[in-house]
Amino acid sequence: MRIILSFLIIFCLNGCVSTGQNNKLAQVVKGYFETYSQRDDFKKFMNYYADNAQFKDIIYGNSLNGKAEIRNFLDWDRGEFKALNGPKILTVTRQTVGKNNVITEGFFHSFSYDGQKLGPWFFVITLEFDSENKIIQQTDWINYTPRANFLGGKNMNAALETEEL
């Protein structure tokens, strides 16, 4: 009986530690997407990445290695950017938090970039974290429109365009 009770206590404590780690990661991810959505503190945004992070933009076919390449690719100071529907650039609609990874679904709001209207765009972003809750792997799946500028195929974002008006 004593052995069974000991195992139950260890099992429960182990669950508490695991839950605490997931809560910490969930808070980090919440901060990451809040910073991303506000799009006004690029230095803070880049602090979420580990120095050796990798980044893949599946639709564009970009594969970046290291924080410096990611910084150059995402550079918020490049081009003229303006949010068109309020101050937020994105909305998270669903999130799944694992032990060291997170899958986030949502959409980017309409914006203009160098005078061209873009979005809204659905996205799925996967993030993998190291033991210090720094991003070591990011994979972006973004449904870019206007399709003519990127790819052929159906515009699945059309439903968002009518909602934002």
Side-chain angles (χ1 to χ4, degrees):
M1 182 67 161
R2 198 180 245 178
I3 293 173
I4 293 172
L5 184 58
S6 296
F7 279 122
L8 284 174
I9 291 171
I10 291 170
F11 181 74
C12 287
L13 289 175
N14 207 12
C16 291
V17 170
S18 182
T19 301
Q21 290 169 341
N22 282 358
N23 276 346
K24 174 70 172 155
L25 181 57
Q27 290 302 322
V28 169
V29 172
K30 181 180 178 189
Y32 170 83
F33 279 102
E34 284 175 356
T35 303
Y36 201 163
S37 179
Q38 294 164 3
R39 204 177 190 276
D40 64 0
D41 191 344
F42 190 63
K43 183 177 179 180
K44 179 179 177 183
F45 180 73
M46 288 306 302
N47 281 334
Y48 287 97
Y49 291 90
D51 290 337
N52 63 341
Q54 297 179 333
F55 183 106
K56 292 180 184 171
D57 182 326
I58 299 300
I59 304 301
Y60 269 139
N62 293 311
S63 184
L64 310 165
N65 294 304
K67 196 172 183 175
E69 283 186 19
I70 295 168
R71 182 182 296 110
N72 289 336
F73 179 73
L74 297 175
D75 185 8
W76 289 354
D77 291 328
R78 183 179 56 231
E80 183 184 328
F81 178 89
K82 181 180 177 188
L84 298 177
N85 293 334
K88 287 177 41 175
I89 186 56
L90 65 85
T91 295
V92 171
T93 57
R94 183 174 170 183
Q95 206 161 57
T96 305
V97 179
K99 182 178 178 184
N100 65 342
N101 53 44
V102 177
I103 300 169
T104 303
E105 297 177 36
F107 61 93
F108 289 98
H109 298 268
S110 298
F111 62 96
S112 72
Y113 183 76
D114 285 341
Q116 181 181 14
K117 181 190 178 288
L118 299 170
W121 298 338
F122 283 114
F123 70 79
V124 176
I125 297 175
T126 65
L127 300 171
E128 183 179 340
F129 293 83
D130 64 14
S131 61
E132 283 140 28
N133 288 326
K134 295 286 187 178
I135 299 168
I136 57 173
Q137 176 74 44
Q138 177 169 342
T139 305
D140 283 4
W141 296 83
I142 301 171
N143 192 14
Y144 298 109
T145 55
R147 304 297 290 173
N149 293 354
F150 303 98
L151 306 167
K154 182 180 177 184
N155 178 6
M156 295 173 63
N157 298 315
L160 288 175
E161 290 175 358
T162 58
E163 288 177 22
E164 285 197 342
L165 297 176

